Amino acid sequence: MSEPCGAPETAAANRQKLIVALDVESVGEARDIIAEIGHTVGAFKIGLQLFTSAGGSFVREIIQSGTKVFLDLKFHDIPNTVAKAGIEAARMGVWMFNVHASGGSEMMRRVACDVADLCQREELTKPNIIAVTVLTSSDSNTLREIGTEREVKDQVLHLARMASECGLDGVVASANETGLLRESIKSRDFLLVTPGIRPTFATNDDQRRVMTPGAAISSGADYLVIGRPVIKAADRLWAVKTILGEMEAAST
Ligand code: C5P
């Protein structure tokens, strides 16, 4: 693929920021997508659907072939169980995985500490551990239903601050929240991973509050998670190249 115009180092940096969601049902489809665009993106996200159908052996297989994996299983359980699951994710070699911040500070501290200790002991690269705050499918009614009176935005900020204080590496946040999170959490190292991105050529699908790749980068996102606009595109390479072009236009 030819580089989108501009400095090669900017193009390479933007490529690292692009995570494509492998939201497909079979190993065959996933392998096709990786073969087609794997060299043009930073990482692939494997979520509940593909993990349930393909299992850990597929994740290991693609990591061994040099693909970076964001394991999006959103761990939420007692601290010991989440820490042990995190340890296995680290041993698998995933580059990033996530937990629900609503599992509480003890759970987040425990997974952060135990995974860091394990990686030091076994000389592994520590994965980025990211917190999920409020799912984008939830609104204030959903929060009230489960006993939370805060507005969504305030709950997102509250949980993101908790995640930062507990030593997690960042949060998954809707692109509409990145500006607010950047202002409120001073550590520039705190990673903001944003789904709900729609390039100018794509439809919104079921995403309600979307942002273009350029606007998301400008608002302070570190990584963009994009699924359907790439994996359902008639020409996936063209889709990736166009997205990288939009990111680059915002970076200059
Ligand atoms: O196809 P699309 O680009 O909408 O995919 C976005 C990906 O990000 C999906 O895998 C979706 O599950 C995930 N995601 C999201 N909103 C969140 C967290 C994850 O869309 N808050």
Side-chain angles (χ1 to χ4, degrees):
M1 188 184 77
S2 61
E3 300 284 358
C5 49
E9 58 278 15
T10 315
N14 281 329
R15 184 178 295 178
Q16 290 308 316
K17 293 178 183 174
L18 180 57
I19 304 173
V20 171
L22 277 179
D23 291 334
V24 293
E25 60 185 38
S26 72
V27 165
E29 281 173 275
R31 284 201 187 108
D32 286 348
I33 294 170
I34 294 169
E36 219 174 309
I37 58 166
H39 59 295
T40 66
V41 304
F44 286 97
K45 180 172 87 66
I46 296 188
L48 291 165
Q49 181 189 17
L50 185 60
F51 189 80
T52 305
S53 106
S57 59
F58 176 64
V59 179
R60 283 189 194 87
E61 171 198 310
I62 64 170
I63 290 172
Q64 272 159 20
S65 71
T67 300
K68 273 160 66 180
V69 170
F70 169 16
L71 191 65
D72 177 21
L73 299 183
K74 301 184 179 69
F75 298 141
H76 190 171
D77 209 314
I78 60 172
N80 183 61
T81 303
V82 170
K84 300 280 189 236
I87 282 173
E88 295 316 323
R91 284 186 173 138
M92 244 180 189
V94 307
W95 161 73
M96 179 179 276
F97 73 88
N98 55 8
V99 304
H100 268 284
S102 52
S105 57
E106 189 191 337
M107 186 203 87
M108 287 195 279
R109 282 211 170 85
R110 179 78 187 274
V111 69
C113 275
D114 287 9
V115 169
D117 284 352
L118 176 276
C119 290
Q120 204 173 18
R121 263 197 327 274
E122 299 188 5
E123 297 182 5
L124 302 170
T125 306
K126 193 189 87 59
N128 293 303
I129 309 177
I130 303 294
V132 175
T133 56
V134 179
L135 294 171
T136 42
S137 52
S138 299
D139 58 17
S140 51
N141 291 326
T142 327
L143 292 187
R144 260 192 295 284
E145 202 176 44
I146 57 169
T148 303
E149 293 304 324
R150 284 195 192 95
E151 288 306 314
V152 171
K153 184 169 59 68
D154 298 328
Q155 180 70 352
V156 167
L157 257 183
H158 171 68
L159 291 173
R161 284 200 189 108
M162 261 174 67
S164 169
E165 282 158 17
C166 291
L168 264 63
D169 298 297
V171 284
V172 181
S174 122
N176 297 277
E177 290 150 4
T178 50
L180 182 68
L181 288 165
R182 270 282 164 253
E183 273 171 31
S184 316
I185 297 180
K186 293 300 171 204
S187 164
R188 186 60 189 84
D189 294 339
F190 196 67
L191 301 175
L192 301 182
V193 180
T194 61
I197 305 294
R198 284 298 176 269
T200 45
F201 65 81
T203 57
N204 284 6
D205 303 302
D206 56 354
Q207 295 282 13
R208 292 210 186 107
R209 293 176 302 139
V210 299
M211 213 177 249
T212 62
I217 290 290
S218 302
S219 75
D222 294 293
Y223 294 103
L224 310 187
V225 176
I226 307 186
R228 286 161 291 184
V230 172
I231 64 170
K232 302 275 185 217
D235 182 344
R236 294 182 182 127
L237 265 182
W238 173 86
V240 169
K241 189 175 170 182
T242 306
I243 290 166
L244 291 174
E246 291 188 25
M247 290 165 75
E248 194 169 329
S251 322
T252 49

